[in-house]
Amino acid sequence: MTVELNPKFKGRDFLAIRDYTSEEVMEILELAQKLKKMQKEGIPHPLLAGKTLGMIFQKPSTRTRVSFEVGIYQLGGYGLFLSPNDLQMGRGETIKDTALTLSRYLDGIMIRTFAQEEVEELAYWASIPVINGLTDLLHPCQIMGDILTILEKKGTLKGLKCAFIGDGNNVCHSLLVGGAKVGMNVVVACPPGFAPKHEIMAQALKDAEETGAKLWVVEDPAEAVDGADVIYTDVWASMGQEKEAHEKEKHFARYQVNASLLGKAKPDVIVMHCLPAKRGREITDEVMDGPNSVVFDEAENRLHAQKAIMALVMQ
């Protein structure tokens, strides 16, 4: 089995799914499927032999760190973990100077941080590809792994109904855009005041015009999951919002993904969670550990989707 990398991806940043066409998103997913098959069959695929990835973590992580570090290793490269204590950025060096310096040493940068503007500024000054590992606004790598999982489990994407239950957060934002790119219908169920950002919804709706996807927001979670092929949830208070968690629980109590809500969807619905989960809050043990859950398949697919992204942009 051989892999050919489309040269049009070379050197590009991966900051948001909106920056890629529907065809390009599908090409990334196809490569991810191929790389996953090769990894499972023990076929070496050192597409990035000798290349280095700097991994900047302003926010802690389990899945992002391990999947990127293992992924670059399986591609034949080396991953360098960089915490705030490891960089002069933590002591006042500008993002510009950091980007210009790291570009002299590395072949790519993955950054997991708070502000989307930081990622965009880093990418502006860097002469090497920058990959968005998470910001408060977007989580594009997560959603690429999620869409890969849905494609594996359902065999198709176009026309499926995905119900996101919870806060209109970074995961929700990228899911709306990702769904629009692949023709998947996405409905968000959230309390008043917690809807996805208007500008993200507007961008997603624009993309949906090309693929025929339908995107909408409701308040009633039961209405959202009616006829759903996929139910997706996330923590009610994202990282950095811990002080708001108690107050948010009052608004989100009826948005728990439990057996009762699951019963209102299709019998073969799959349940997803980007993790880490607050078991017993946004999702029950019964559902997360139940037969409809694909949560840990989804977590694994972060590895394969990100390998495809790295291979293409860092080639």
Side-chain angles (χ1 to χ4, degrees), residues 120-280:
E120 291 173 359
E121 185 178 357
L122 185 72
Y124 178 82
W125 291 110
S127 58
I128 56 177
V130 173
I131 299 170
N132 180 358
L134 171 141
T135 66
D136 288 344
L137 184 69
L138 300 173
H139 202 350
C141 289
Q142 174 69 52
I143 298 307
M144 291 301 293
D146 296 339
I147 295 174
L148 175 62
T149 306
I150 296 168
L151 181 59
E152 284 180 348
K153 301 300 180 183
K154 295 297 182 181
T156 188
L157 294 167
K158 197 170 181 63
L160 293 179
K161 180 181 180 182
C162 176
F164 182 91
I165 312 299
D167 189 23
N169 61 12
N170 51 359
V171 172
C172 177
H173 288 158
S174 289
L175 181 63
L176 283 163
V177 177
K181 290 287 188 183
V182 300
M184 183 172 64
N185 304 321
V186 181
V187 54
V188 178
C190 57
F194 294 94
K197 289 185 179 295
H198 174 74
E199 59 269 27
I200 299 292
M201 193 69 176
Q203 176 63 52
L205 286 168
K206 185 177 179 181
D207 290 326
E209 291 176 3
E210 298 181 11
T211 62
K214 297 177 182 177
L215 312 172
W216 70 107
V217 178
V218 300
E219 290 183 20
D220 183 5
E223 177 185 348
V225 303
D226 181 34
D229 300 285
V230 182
I231 295 175
Y232 198 130
T233 192
D234 189 10
V235 292
W236 296 331
S238 298
M239 193 179 300
Q241 299 178 342
E242 286 78 10
K243 293 181 180 178
E244 304 169 31
H246 182 69
E247 184 63 29
K248 274 194 162 185
E249 284 189 26
K250 299 176 185 177
H251 296 280
F252 284 91
R254 75 186 186 103
Y255 291 83
Q256 183 185 71
V257 176
N258 51 35
S260 175
L261 190 67
L262 193 66
K264 295 176 172 59
K266 289 182 177 179
D268 63 347
V269 67
I270 59 173
V271 177
M272 308 183 77
H273 192 305
C274 56
L275 300 178
K278 298 290 186 184
R279 287 172 174 258

Side-chain angles (χ1 to χ4, degrees), residues 36 39-40 62-63 67 142 145-146 148-150 152-153 231-233 270-279 282-305:
K36 182 174 182 177
Q39 191 255 327
K40 296 294 184 184
T62 298
R63 279 148 292 276
S67 57
Q142 174 69 52
D146 296 339
L148 175 62
T149 306
I150 296 168
E152 284 180 348
K153 301 300 180 183
I231 295 175
Y232 198 130
T233 192
I270 59 173
V271 177
M272 308 183 77
H273 192 305
C274 56
L275 300 178
K278 298 290 186 184
R279 287 172 174 258
E282 74 274 4
I283 190 168
T284 62
D285 285 346
E286 181 183 11
V287 172
M288 188 160 157
D289 298 326
N292 296 84
S293 173
V294 297
V295 168
F296 296 103
D297 293 323
E298 175 188 5
E300 179 191 337
N301 278 336
R302 287 284 302 278
L303 170 66
H304 308 298

Side-chain angles (χ1 to χ4, degrees), residues 53-74 78-84 86 110-113 131-134 139 141-142 239 274-276 299-300 302-303 306-307 310:
L53 175 74
M55 305 182 297
I56 300 174
F57 284 88
Q58 305 282 38
K59 284 188 175 186
S61 168
T62 298
R63 279 148 292 276
T64 301
R65 177 174 179 182
V66 176
S67 57
F68 268 105
E69 197 161 333
V70 170
I72 188 68
Y73 171 77
Q74 291 180 356
Y78 177 76
L80 183 64
F81 175 77
L82 300 168
S83 75
D86 299 319
M110 186 286 300
I111 180 169
R112 179 181 171 93
T113 189
I131 299 170
N132 180 358
L134 171 141
H139 202 350
C141 289
Q142 174 69 52
M239 193 179 300
C274 56
L275 300 178
E300 179 191 337
R302 287 284 302 278
L303 170 66
Q306 290 162 188
K307 282 171 65 177
M310 287 189 285

